């Protein structure tokens, strides 16, 4: 057993999110295209007696509200440790530290990234030698986005999002992530989608909308067709729950983004830039308009959860 293992995992943007009807198990059938971007959380794992967990960084201060990033067994990192220990038949002994850079409750899968990084770090710390398939199976039990956080890159997610297949990309794309105000509850956004469909405010969906246009655009490596193909079925309910996001989307396009959409269940706005230099300029302008509490220039695809020096 080593003294410490450090792993990191990236945030994600859903460049396509097609949501089908509610399933009998309480989940929605999805066709989503994930893109892992260069904003990372880090998990450090050390030998310990039993499990302990500390969390620092983005979203962990007093302003974030009590319990938003729990430091107990309700955190996905703790659950990941227990699952891996049970699977491998080892004692769940580790001191875990999470350093967050991914904003909390922002539709960027920060909690899923933490869980994926914990699986990778603890597999190395405990020497469990879990196969990739084993880790993906454990990840799917932890949450719909956790398998992608392990895989990274760009991928098509089906089922409830946990079944991932790699997608080829022609080049990296450049984005500015603008986190607007307080977080949005993912269950609340899905619930609002169901309500709007039942009320006729949105068309009923026989199944998720196909992801083919976005996949084709990613393969070209050209930002223009990607901008035209961006889709998120959760954007209308997110805008209903948070009308101020309309101003945030408009601010991004007014500042020169090729396109902007709500990422996942929100409230992050993902603004696509033509290239890296344009993304830097766009981030600087959006940081000054007073709409976003946090602005980050990122690019993707990047690898999933990995052990780092």
């Amino acid at each position: 057993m080593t003294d410490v293992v450090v792993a990191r995992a990236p945030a994600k943007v859903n460049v396509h999110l097609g949501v089908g009807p509610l399933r009998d198990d309480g989940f929605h059938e999805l066709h989503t295209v994930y893109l892992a971007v260069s904003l990372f959380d880090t998990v450090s794992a050390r030998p310990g007696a039993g499990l302990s967990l500390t969390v620092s960084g983005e979203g962990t201060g007093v302003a974030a509200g009590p319990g938003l990033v729990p430091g107990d067994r309700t955190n996905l990192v703790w659950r990941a440790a227990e699952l891996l220990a049970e699977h491998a038949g080892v004692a769940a002994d580790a001191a875990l530290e999470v350093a967050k850079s991914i904003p909390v409750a922002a539709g960027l899968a920060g909690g899923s990234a933490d869980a994926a990084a914990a699986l990778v770090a603890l597999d190395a710390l405990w020497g469990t030698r879990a196969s990739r398939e084993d880790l993906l199976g454990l990840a799917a039990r932890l949450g719909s986005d956790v398998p992608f956080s392990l895989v990274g890159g760009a991928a098509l997610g089906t089922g409830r999002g946990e079944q991932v297949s790699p997608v080829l990309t022609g080049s990296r794309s450049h984005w500015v992530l603008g986190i607007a105000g307080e977080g949005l509850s993912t269950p609340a956004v899905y619930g609002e989608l169901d309500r709007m469909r039942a009320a006729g405010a949105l068309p009923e969906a026989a199944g998720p909308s196909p992801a083919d246009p976005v996949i084709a655009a990613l393969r070209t490596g050209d930002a223009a067709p990607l901008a035209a193909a961006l889709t998120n079925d959760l954007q209308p309910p997110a805008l209903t729950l948070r009308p101020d996001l309309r101003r945030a989307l408009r601010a991004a396009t007014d500042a020169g983004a090729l396109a902007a959409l709500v990422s996942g269940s929100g409230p992050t706005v993902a603004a696509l830039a033509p290239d890296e230099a344009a993304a830097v300029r766009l981030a600087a302008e959006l940081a000054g308009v007073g709409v976003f509490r946090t602005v980050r220039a990122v690019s993707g695809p990047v690898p999933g959860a990995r052990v780092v020096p």
Side-chain angles (χ1 to χ4, degrees):
M1 184 178 289
T2 59
D3 290 336
V4 60
V5 177
V6 180
R8 73 176 190 177
K12 62 82 182 167
V13 171
N14 298 85
V15 293
H16 172 86
L17 182 50
V19 183
L22 188 65
R23 307 189 314 195
D24 292 340
D25 62 1
F27 292 96
H28 293 76
E29 190 70 23
L30 302 182
H31 282 177
T32 187
V33 178
Y34 295 109
L35 182 71
V37 296
S38 56
L39 179 63
F40 302 91
D41 279 1
T42 301
V43 174
S44 302
R46 293 177 171 82
L51 287 176
S52 64
L53 175 62
T54 59
V55 186
S56 62
E58 170 70 34
T60 60
V62 174
L68 194 57
V69 186
D72 56 23
R73 64 180 62 251
T74 62
N75 192 302
L76 280 182
V77 167
W78 193 297
R79 292 171 55 196
E82 291 180 330
L83 270 183
L84 180 60
E86 178 184 8
H87 170 80
V90 300
D93 292 333
L96 298 164
E97 299 176 13
V98 178
K100 294 197 64 63
S101 295
I102 302 171
V104 179
L108 297 172
S112 297
D114 297 345
L119 287 174
V120 170
L122 289 169
D123 176 58
L125 181 74
W126 291 337
T128 57
R129 299 180 182 272
S131 69
R132 196 68 169 168
E133 291 72 22
D134 288 341
L135 290 178
L136 285 170
L138 296 175
R141 293 172 60 185
L142 289 165
S144 300
D145 291 336
V146 184
F148 175 71
S149 296
L150 274 175
V151 172
L156 172 66
T158 55
R160 52 183 171 83
E162 87 285 7
Q163 301 168 25
V164 291
S165 305
V167 167
L168 293 175
T169 57
S171 64
R172 293 181 76 141
S173 53
H174 299 274
W175 303 79
V176 174
L177 304 180
I179 295 84
E182 298 176 357
L184 265 174
S185 160
T186 298
V189 176
Y190 274 101
E192 181 65 12
L193 174 66
D194 293 336
R195 188 199 66 76
M196 293 175 72
R197 285 176 171 174
L202 291 173
E204 290 284 353
S209 56
D212 298 0
V214 160
I215 291 174
L218 284 170
R219 285 175 178 157
T220 69
D222 188 341
L226 179 58
L230 298 175
T231 307
N232 181 8
D233 286 352
L234 292 183
Q235 181 163 303
L239 294 178
T240 299
L241 295 173
R242 286 280 301 278
D244 59 301
L245 286 176
R246 299 181 190 277
R247 182 184 172 208
L249 289 166
R250 188 167 57 252
T253 53
D254 287 350
L258 295 176
L261 83 167
V262 173
S263 178
S265 58
T268 295
V269 167
L272 178 62
D275 52 43
E276 183 176 7
V280 172
R281 292 193 300 270
L282 179 60
E285 183 160 349
L286 290 180
V289 298
V291 174
F292 301 105
R293 67 175 176 85
T294 303
V295 174
R296 297 283 187 272
V298 299
S299 63
V302 298
R306 296 288 188 276
V307 171
V308 295

